[in-house]
Amino acid sequence: MATTMITTLDRSSRAAARGLSDISIRNLFIIPTVLFLIVFNIFPLIYSLGYSFTDFRASTNAPANFVGLQNYRDLLNDPYVWSNFAITAKYVIISVAGQLLVGFGVAMLLNRDIPMKGLLTTLLLLPMMLSMAVVGLFWKLLYDPSFGIINYALGLGTFEWLSDPKMALYAVALTDIWMWSPFVMLLSLAGLSAVPKHLYEAAAIDRAGPFYTFFRITLPLVAPILMIAVIFRTMEAFKTFDLAYILTSQPTAELISIRLYKMAFQEWQTGRSCALAYIVLIMVLAITNIYVKYLNKVKER
Amino acid sequence: MAAVRTSSEIGFNRVAIVAVLVVTIIFLAPIYWIASTAFKPRNLATTIPPTIVFQPEISPFVKLFTKRSQMRSPPSPEEYAAAPWWERVVFDGGEKIVRDGKGQVQWSGYPSRFLNSLIIAITSTVLAVGMGTFTAYGFSRFKVKGEADLLFFILSTRMLPPVVVAIPMFLMYRAVGLNDSHVGLIILYTAFNLSFSVWLMKGFMDEIPKEYEEAALVDGYTRMEAFFKIVLPEAATGIAATAVFCFITAWNEYAFALIMTNRRAQTAPPFIPSQVGSGLPDWTVIAAGTFLFLLPVAIFTFLLRNHLLRGMSFGAIRK
């Protein structure tokens, strides 16, 4: 931990003797942040770990009873919860695949001399900067079966997007693709612009076809950065709450975060929701771990 | 691209440019629709075919800020003539503005939510960026034992799903009376943004040559003086970019705000959707509220355009 760190930096100047030592400055700069995060992120998690072994309900004054692993056992045997995980997995796959396709595709199109390229890129990036909840709400109007512009533009008549149980999850994913394809595009553009030009020149001299050039030069060189985009979006899509919660109340689109929210703040099954939160937490940390490993790998290049 | 350009390549370039324009239009259409609906008269907001050309109105914004009630009969000519312009546009929609006994105009819930959003986002940004800058400097310049693990720990706090953290925080806040308080949300958003700010600022700090401070130290500056007088000015751009990112995150945040606040400290993101109750919502008012709420972020995105890549990848990809 921070207190046991040693420093190797030492200034032999007169100033170093006058002011605080490097070790004190380092500790002064780092320890408050670490403490702050422990108090407001780690401590609450320890607190909820305790509750996850009880039948506590925050809506009543009844004391919490210790129930051991009962909550975890119940949750893992609950087909309802498993279906929430299945819905989440489906959602993650659809939305991340869509973002990868659209984002990388647009990046390929943009990766050339285009008039006003900077402005176009900035405009394309706008959706991902906006509030998911607030913009998501407006998509309700766009999806409206009778007067939404989506049905009008596509000539779909009164197609039900959000109130059809089969369609709701896809509609949420479509909005997510709209919001987050720009993210994949942004990272892809960075990857594409880093591919050395001489490789393409060499390929052109060798009369390599566009497919060969794409699969043998472009894709392998952009892959690491695409991987970062995919892992990051997977993690975020797995946590999705705002968009799905606002757009639809269809049980077929009930992602795990929404189940967790309902269990904790509508059904007030506090103890049990803490247990579910831990199951979700472990999954997220696993993905985060992979993500950080990849980040460091790309950084080293 | 390639040094040798064939005519088919140039042809493809043209196709690609057209395709890019089409994609841009599709991507911006929803945002354009929000902006245009915010200036429509109510009866044109939900027409089929959609109304594209119309006389823009300011009435959605007047309605956004005031409490209104339906009028049974249209106002008398005298009443209409005596009313200020902003009340007339409401009369035209068959409604009137609610006033209290003293004739004071009653505000809707929107202005206070907007103000809450501003207070909470700005305060938490200042705290997160302030602490983050110091910590990033510490990690950038000094040897820290277990640095990689500490940095992973810091990042992982940001990756936690909000609902997971919100359950225990809700119970703890309830115990100490911080539910529905500005301070409560500020703490949560500071914690959430702090990790991001450390990661991003560390990248910026790493780019400032160590030689600058070393020269200052040789000249008799203390480490602290060197930090404040040499490093901070050099890091100004990075600090500004990080601050804008933190502001946008706090400004847009929904889940914590939904769970932790209900009235006094409620921010705009949970408030705006709550206006869509049962029945037919007035989409022009919702669009007006959304438009005002999105405007700062749109401006910031434009200012940030050269730092977006860096910010969105937590400083990992710099270009």
Side-chain angles (χ1 to χ4, degrees), chain A residues 5 9 11 15 18 22 25-26 29 33 40 43-44 58 112 129 138 146-147 152 178 235 239 265 281 295, chain B residues 13 27 34 46 48-50 134-135 141 143-144 159-160 168 174 187 217 220-221 223 252 259 297 316:
Chain A
M5 292 171 216
L9 254 182
R11 300 269 148 236
R18 202 151 49 78
D22 280 359
I25 288 178
R26 184 201 61 192
F29 281 13
T33 292
F40 291 106
F43 180 65
R112 64 194 73 240
M129 305 303 287
F138 211 81
S146 31
F147 43 74
Y152 181 78
W178 172 76
M235 187 161 66
K239 297 190 292 187
F265 297 104
L281 182 74
L295 270 188
Chain B
N13 246 356
F27 264 79
I34 294 172
T46 52
I48 280 294
F134 287 113
T135 309
R141 292 299 196 265
K143 275 231 170 86
V144 178
M159 298 304 173
L160 301 173
R174 199 171 65 167
I187 291 174
L217 292 172
Y221 279 51
R223 177 67 84 166
N252 286 347
I259 293 165
V297 176

Side-chain angles (χ1 to χ4, degrees), chain A residues 160-234:
Chain A
E160 299 273 356
W161 288 90
L162 295 167
S163 43
D164 179 346
K166 283 203 203 80
M167 209 50 221
L169 190 69
Y170 294 98
V172 178
L174 189 64
T175 308
D176 198 53
I177 291 170
W178 172 76
M179 282 204 97
W180 290 104
S181 292
F183 174 77
V184 181
M185 180 194 91
L186 182 66
L187 265 65
S188 305
L189 274 176
L192 287 171
S193 68
V195 178
K197 294 266 184 295
H198 65 82
L199 290 181
Y200 289 124
E201 281 158 19
I205 289 165
D206 291 344
R207 298 196 177 281
F211 284 98
Y212 186 88
T213 316
F214 177 77
F215 284 106
R216 289 304 175 85
I217 299 177
T218 312
L219 203 53
L221 284 169
V222 182
I225 241 177
L226 276 185
M227 203 57 203
I228 284 198
V230 168
I231 303 171
F232 188 74
R233 283 313 309 157
T234 301

Side-chain angles (χ1 to χ4, degrees), chain A residues 35-61:
Chain A
L35 279 182
F36 187 88
L37 289 173
I38 289 174
V39 171
F40 291 106
N41 273 312
I42 305 308
F43 180 65
L45 291 178
I46 295 170
Y47 193 74
S48 68
L49 182 66
Y51 274 124
S52 76
F53 301 112
T54 67
D55 63 355
F56 181 60
R57 298 178 78 93
S59 55
T60 64
N61 286 324

